[in-house]
Amino acid sequence: MSGAGRRTVIRAEQLVKAYGEFRAVDGISFEVPAGESFGLLGPNGAGKSTTMRMIGGVTQRTGGKLEIMGLDPERQGPEVRAHLGVVPQQDNLDEELRVRDNLIVYGRYFGLPMGYLRQRADELLAFAQLEDKAGAKVDSLSGGMKRRLTIARSLVNEPKILLLDEPTTGLDPQARHVLWDRLFRLKEQGVTLVLTTHYMDEAEQLCDRLIVVDKGRIMAEGSPAALIREHSSREVLEVRFGAERNAAVAGQLEGVGDRVEALPDRVLVYAADGERALELIRARGLHPLTSLVRRASLEDVFLRLTGRSLID
């Protein structure tokens, strides 16, 4: 298992969260060793955020066991939260306070002294690249700046574990990459990262290991590279013949590549050599309107496991 030799900081055994007859989390088990970047990947409604809320102790579990640093988050909530930093899906900054004051006021909730907080706030503003915005009102910040401030705020108490729920949703590509860089730096400092995402490129970039979750259950577990090797081919050829023809043409591609999958807008051909697969298609007298060869991704893994896109 990845992380062998490192202390386990999160352990879930047959974890369940039910709302009446509906199980949002349906008996999942996993372990996270210290210093790992661990991801929960899946579509909206898969049970990722519910799992995060149980780890954070804000949602009670229906069944199973859950330990955070050897503690039960339901019975020992304050002790658990002292070790956690939480970045919620939606920024919940205090719009009435200035940027630096958001950090200081939040730190007071942990009973931290003002002398420490003033210094810590300056350190975190530098980490988040927000020094020049220290005196600005929060509502004047861009979306990416607000997200970096939310992460900076979550680090006030120097947490050992940082929970990030959909950390880059709604951000433009440049802001996402800046945020990824900040998270890489935290990992280098030994902070354990646990994040949910439905962005496969984000999971591939940030996660040492992840679980693919759908309908409250774990569909697969492993490193991004291992999951791609196990559930997909080396390359994927995407071809489009038109919405009315894709499904019919897909039926004529048997033997081209390892596997063929018809989506509403395109046909996916999984193959070790995408260009060779395209040559075989054309040799059959079939001429796609567009074609693209790319490396396999976690989205392909999810399609294989669940039959639908991560962003459905």
Side-chain angles (χ1 to χ4, degrees), residues 2 10 26 57 60-61 69 73 76 88 106 109 113 119-120 153 201 223 244 291 311:
S2 176
I10 300 176
D26 193 7
Q60 291 194 339
R61 61 188 181 272
M69 302 189 72
Q76 299 160 294
Y106 186 74
Y109 292 129
Q119 179 181 346
R120 184 65 175 155
R153 188 187 62 178
D201 59 334
S223 70
E244 301 300 320
S291 63
I311 56 175

Side-chain angles (χ1 to χ4, degrees), residues 236-257:
V236 180
L237 168 64
E238 297 188 4
V239 286
R240 287 180 166 86
F241 295 91
E244 301 300 320
R245 295 189 62 219
N246 284 330
V249 173
Q252 302 175 47
L253 300 183
E254 185 176 347
V256 176

Side-chain angles (χ1 to χ4, degrees), residues 13-286:
E13 296 179 11
Q14 294 298 312
L15 190 61
V16 173
K17 179 59 182 179
Y19 298 94
E21 295 297 313
F22 173 68
R23 288 193 169 198
V25 176
D26 193 7
I28 67 174
S29 300
F30 60 88
E31 293 185 3
V32 182
E36 183 173 72
S37 181
F38 181 80
L40 292 87
L41 180 67
N44 293 327
K48 307 185 304 296
S49 295
T50 302
T51 300
M52 293 286 264
R53 288 195 294 271
M54 286 190 284
I55 292 172
V58 296
T59 294
Q60 291 194 339
R61 61 188 181 272
T62 306
K65 296 180 180 179
L66 182 61
E67 288 184 356
I68 314 300
M69 302 189 72
L71 304 171
D72 185 327
E74 289 184 14
R75 293 188 293 105
Q76 299 160 294
E79 295 98 315
V80 169
R81 284 189 286 275
H83 297 297
L84 293 182
V86 179
V87 179
Q89 195 168 129
Q90 301 293 330
D91 294 323
N92 57 355
L93 300 163
D94 192 327
E95 301 278 344
E96 301 300 314
L97 297 177
R98 300 189 183 275
V99 168
R100 188 170 183 270
D101 293 336
N102 259 273
L103 302 178
I104 292 173
V105 170
Y106 186 74
R108 295 297 287 168
Y109 292 129
F110 292 92
L112 299 170
M114 282 298 296
Y116 167 84
L117 285 173
R118 291 190 188 99
Q119 179 181 346
R120 184 65 175 155
D122 291 338
E123 292 171 355
L124 291 173
L125 289 174
F127 171 80
Q129 296 179 311
L130 292 171
E131 301 104 312
D132 60 337
K133 298 291 184 180
K137 285 288 188 70
V138 168
D139 60 9
S140 71
L141 302 181
S142 68
M145 290 177 180
K146 287 181 180 178
R147 208 65 181 138
R148 297 206 304 273
L149 179 58
T150 301
I151 290 177
R153 188 187 62 178
S154 73
L155 300 171
V156 164
N157 60 324
E158 300 189 63
K160 295 179 173 65
I161 302 171
L162 185 61
L163 307 179
L164 302 114
D165 196 1
E166 304 286 356
T168 65
T169 296
L171 299 186
D172 62 51
Q174 184 177 17
R176 289 180 75 204
H177 282 276
V178 171
L179 200 58
W180 287 354
D181 175 68
R182 300 300 99 178
L183 296 178
F184 277 124
R185 294 182 185 221
L186 288 174
K187 186 174 181 298
E188 288 175 349
Q189 296 168 17
V191 177
T192 303
L193 304 180
V194 181
L195 65 122
T196 72
T197 184
H198 58 258
Y199 294 136
M200 35 288 190
D201 59 334
E202 182 159 273
E204 287 187 58
Q205 285 284 335
L206 295 179
C207 297
D208 300 317
R209 191 168 54 89
L210 55 89
I211 53 176
V212 179
V213 184
D214 189 39
K215 299 176 183 176
R217 296 183 178 181
I218 294 175
M219 310 298 292
E221 178 177 353
S223 70
L227 288 172
I228 291 169
R229 283 195 304 270
E230 182 178 353
H231 297 285
S232 189
S233 55
R234 188 171 67 88
E235 292 186 341
V236 180
L237 168 64
E238 297 188 4
V239 286
R240 287 180 166 86
F241 295 91
E244 301 300 320
R245 295 189 62 219
N246 284 330
V249 173
Q252 302 175 47
L253 300 183
E254 185 176 347
V256 176
D258 304 322
R259 186 166 56 92
V260 175
E261 188 158 17
L263 301 181
D265 62 331
R266 64 196 186 278
V267 178
L268 304 181
V269 180
Y270 296 88
D273 186 339
E275 293 291 350
R276 175 60 180 158
L278 182 57
E279 290 175 8
L280 292 174
I281 290 173
R282 287 173 173 158
R284 297 185 181 189
L286 301 169

